Structure formats: C-alpha cells, structure tokens
Amino acid sequence: MFRTGLVLALCLVGPAAFAEAPARKTTVAIDGARFLINGRPTYEGRASVEGLLMNSRMVQATFDDLNPETVGRWAYPDTGRWDADRNTAEFLAQMPGWRKAGLLAFTLNLQGGSPQGYSKDQPWHNSALRGDGSLRPEYLARLARILDRADELGMVAILGIYYFGQDQRLKDEAAVVAGVDATVDWLVAGGYRNVLVEVDNECNVKAYDHPILGPERVHELILRVRDRSAAAGHRLLVGTSYGGGSIPRPNVVKASDFLLLHGNGVKEPARVGEMVRAARKVDGYRPMPILFNEDDHFDFDKPANNFRAAVAEYASWGFFDYRMKDEGFAEGYQSVPVDWGTNSDRKRGFFRLLGEITGATP
C-alpha cells in the first residue's frame, strides 16, 4: 500500500528518481487480438471469450468535488455530507466480489465522469490534475489504493486521463501535455503493470476545450504515452475512446495498442457487431484487441443484447450503469453517492450474464 508521503513524492518527480519500482503481482499484455494477464490469456479455456477483457465503467472510484457550491449534491444519506475517502473504501470492499464474478477490468478516470450520467453543464470540479498539469496527491492516494488492490486481485484498470466537461480545468495545451507526462511518470514509478491508459474519454465529443484532445490530434498524446513510458523502462499500453456508435479514425488506429468503442446510443445489437467489423477495416488496423468500455444498453435477460453481440464478434464489453438518486444512494455505478454493491436488478442482471458468458462461479 502506498503511503501518502510516497504518493506526494511521485507527484513531484519522475521515474528517474527511483532506482526500483515496488514489486507487483499483475501484468497485462497483448498478444495479437488477445489480452494476457501474467502471461496467460484471460478466461483461459473458455473459447468464446479467451483473451477478452470484460469490464465495467467505474470512473467515480476516486471522485471528489472541489467546488463548495456543488459538493453538497453528493451528500451521503446517513451522514449528510460527501466523503471521498469513504467512497474509495467502499469501492475497495466490493472488488474481490467483482473479480470472483468474472469481472477482470474496470475503467477509472482522473477527471471522473458526469455523476448525472449525461450533463450539459458540469459545474462540479472533479480533477486529479491541477491547472498546470501537475497531480493532486490526495487524488493519487485514493488511486494508488485501488491500483494496489487490483494488482493483488489480478485485475486490470483502464485509466483515463481527461474527461470533457473537466478538461477546461487545464489552462492551456502545455498543461494538458504536462498532465499526460505526470501521469505516465507516476504509473511507471509506481511499478504498475496492470494499467491500460485511455488518453481521454470520447475524443470526438465537441465539448473538449483543447484541440490536442480531439480526434485530429489525440494520436500525438497516444504516441507520447508510448514513447515516454518506454524510455522510462516500462512501455504502457495506450489508446483512446470515441463517442457512442463512432468508429476510430486511422490516425488513432495506427498509434494505439487497442481500440476503445462505446455503445451509447446504439439501440440495436446488430449495430454493435457492425461497429467491430468496421473498426477492423480502418486503415492501420492489425490484429489488436477491441473493447467496448462504455455501453448503457442492457436487456441482459434477452437472447439478443449489446453484451452478447460484442462477444459474438470477439470484442470485450463494458457495463456503463448510471441512475441518479431521488433520495439516498444512487443505483448506478456512475451516479454519486455510489452504492458499489449490487443494489439493483440491472447490476444483478449484468453479473449473472457475465458469469454465464465467462464461466465464473461467484
């Protein structure tokens, strides 16, 4: 477990300052279109899913709100106040159960995601990055606890850096680049080998303030992550995601180690299969994993749904569950305050189908 002092040190200096990173148990790698964990294909022996990486969007695991005018929105019903450390602790408590149920990965983001699911305006201030691109140690302390536990459990984190609606917290493009560099340095110095980097969530969403995070230029940051981490001694695997229904562009396909698709707005499961097939035809594609790491369509009790459709095309699928609170805890994993358990039929349905598809026996 990282101590706060070490987390602070890693926020201030790069990996060259550390002769040895902490010993780790879990390494994620890619072999063609397959994911490997510790050198073995995921779900080994389960032919239809061997090498896939089933995941859930859980970007609020490190959530906090630095805006005093909005933080009261997330108050816990039993205490009447928001508590970022409690949120992370309750996330950690659920991780072993998710792993036993067949969930091998989850998506985090240094700038979270909308706690309302979808938001036109985002007045809250949830960012692990300061305006100059440096990292906030209190956020990194929570993230370290999660990555450490994932490493112990044999789980993978898909770690996003930027999120539209919060990227404006960075003052300019130089700060955006500095934030990428700081994140890479922190991961490498920490010895984390169970992390896939997602530069930004849905790069083609027009809400981004900084052009370098958009679809025409985001490949520059993907290549920067690759080169900087390789120079530091551990080449991180990296890509970026697109909005619901979109197909990655050649510049991103050529630069990425894996492709991230989103199923939001994709109402027909057949379209999910079409997206996967289309992605494999983009200029620059070579055998590489394709993951849906966000999809807000369910129908888990029906023979045709987006989860099954992705698997049928040999693509991993990710559960995106938002449901805002009326009173008390929110039901969705992205709505705050989060109940990280399986407190809804929707969550229970996901884990039942996950077990059926992967052969897990929770």
Side-chain angles (χ1 to χ4, degrees), residues 250-256 279-288:
N251 61 321
V252 165
V253 174
K254 292 174 183 178
S256 298
R280 291 186 175 127
K281 295 179 181 178
V282 176
D283 182 30
Y285 178 82
R286 64 279 183 199
M288 60 197 303

Side-chain angles (χ1 to χ4, degrees), residues 252-276:
V252 165
V253 174
K254 292 174 183 178
S256 298
D257 296 300
F258 51 85
L259 302 182
L260 293 175
L261 307 183
H262 285 181
N264 308 345
V266 180
K267 298 179 180 179
E268 296 298 328
R271 173 57 184 159
V272 168
E274 292 172 1
M275 290 174 63
V276 176

Side-chain angles (χ1 to χ4, degrees), residues 151-194:
D151 177 69
E152 293 169 0
L153 292 170
M155 299 183 78
V156 174
I158 304 167
L159 180 63
I161 303 175
Y162 293 109
Y163 180 74
F164 60 86
Q166 296 295 314
D167 77 300
Q168 76 276 13
R169 307 292 180 189
L170 282 293
K171 63 182 180 181
D172 54 25
E173 183 170 304
V176 171
V177 173
V180 169
D181 290 350
T183 302
V184 169
D185 291 351
W186 185 84
L187 290 170
V188 173
Y192 292 113
R193 299 178 178 274
N194 62 330

Side-chain angles (χ1 to χ4, degrees), residues 336-358:
V336 183
V338 187
D339 184 325
W340 293 110
T342 52
N343 63 319
S344 69
D345 290 340
R346 179 181 292 176
K347 292 175 182 175
R348 288 186 287 270
F350 166 66
F351 281 106
R352 279 195 299 270
L353 184 55
L354 176 68
E356 176 189 327
I357 288 175
T358 65

Side-chain angles (χ1 to χ4, degrees), residues 45-273:
R46 193 83 172 178
S48 62
V49 294
E50 185 174 281
L52 297 185
L53 195 66
M54 304 311 176
N55 61 92
S56 179
R57 182 174 171 84
M58 294 176 169
V59 294
Q60 310 299 24
T62 56
F63 179 86
D64 202 3
D65 187 355
L66 303 178
N67 183 351
E69 296 183 0
T70 55
V71 68
R73 298 184 185 187
W74 329 118
Y76 282 100
D78 54 346
T79 65
R81 65 183 183 87
W82 167 247
D83 185 334
D85 290 328
R86 171 181 171 175
N87 175 57
T88 297
E90 292 180 353
F91 180 95
L92 290 165
Q94 296 296 327
M95 290 174 65
W98 299 332
R99 177 63 179 85
K100 189 175 181 181
L103 190 72
L104 292 183
F106 45 81
T107 295
L108 307 174
N109 194 295
L110 296 183
Q111 294 192 316
S114 172
Q116 296 176 338
Y118 298 97
S119 306
K120 181 179 180 180
D121 300 309
Q122 297 186 41
W124 44 85
H125 185 170
N126 176 36
S127 181
L129 300 112
R130 300 186 182 97
D132 62 358
S134 61
L135 301 174
R136 299 181 186 274
E138 65 275 19
Y139 276 78
L140 273 292
R142 294 192 295 274
L143 178 61
R145 292 173 66 194
I146 293 169
L147 297 185
D148 289 350
R149 186 65 173 131
D151 177 69
E152 293 169 0
L153 292 170
M155 299 183 78
V156 174
I158 304 167
L159 180 63
I161 303 175
Y162 293 109
Y163 180 74
F164 60 86
Q166 296 295 314
D167 77 300
Q168 76 276 13
R169 307 292 180 189
L170 282 293
K171 63 182 180 181
D172 54 25
E173 183 170 304
V176 171
V177 173
V180 169
D181 290 350
T183 302
V184 169
D185 291 351
W186 185 84
L187 290 170
V188 173
Y192 292 113
R193 299 178 178 274
N194 62 330
V195 175
L196 306 174
V197 176
E198 177 182 4
V199 170
D200 60 342
N201 175 77
E202 300 188 345
C203 67
N204 60 329
V205 170
K206 295 181 179 180
Y208 278 109
D209 282 28
H210 301 285
I212 197 170
L213 294 172
E216 292 82 10
R217 295 187 57 203
V218 70
H219 68 282
E220 297 173 29
L221 295 178
I222 294 173
L223 293 172
R224 192 175 185 92
V225 171
R226 293 179 57 174
D227 294 345
R228 189 176 183 88
S229 62
H234 171 52
R235 224 281 266 164
L236 293 167
L237 301 172
V238 58
T240 196
S241 62
Y242 284 76
S246 299
I247 307 302
R249 298 184 183 183
N251 61 321
V252 165
V253 174
K254 292 174 183 178
S256 298
D257 296 300
F258 51 85
L259 302 182
L260 293 175
L261 307 183
H262 285 181
N264 308 345
V266 180
K267 298 179 180 179
E268 296 298 328
R271 173 57 184 159
V272 168

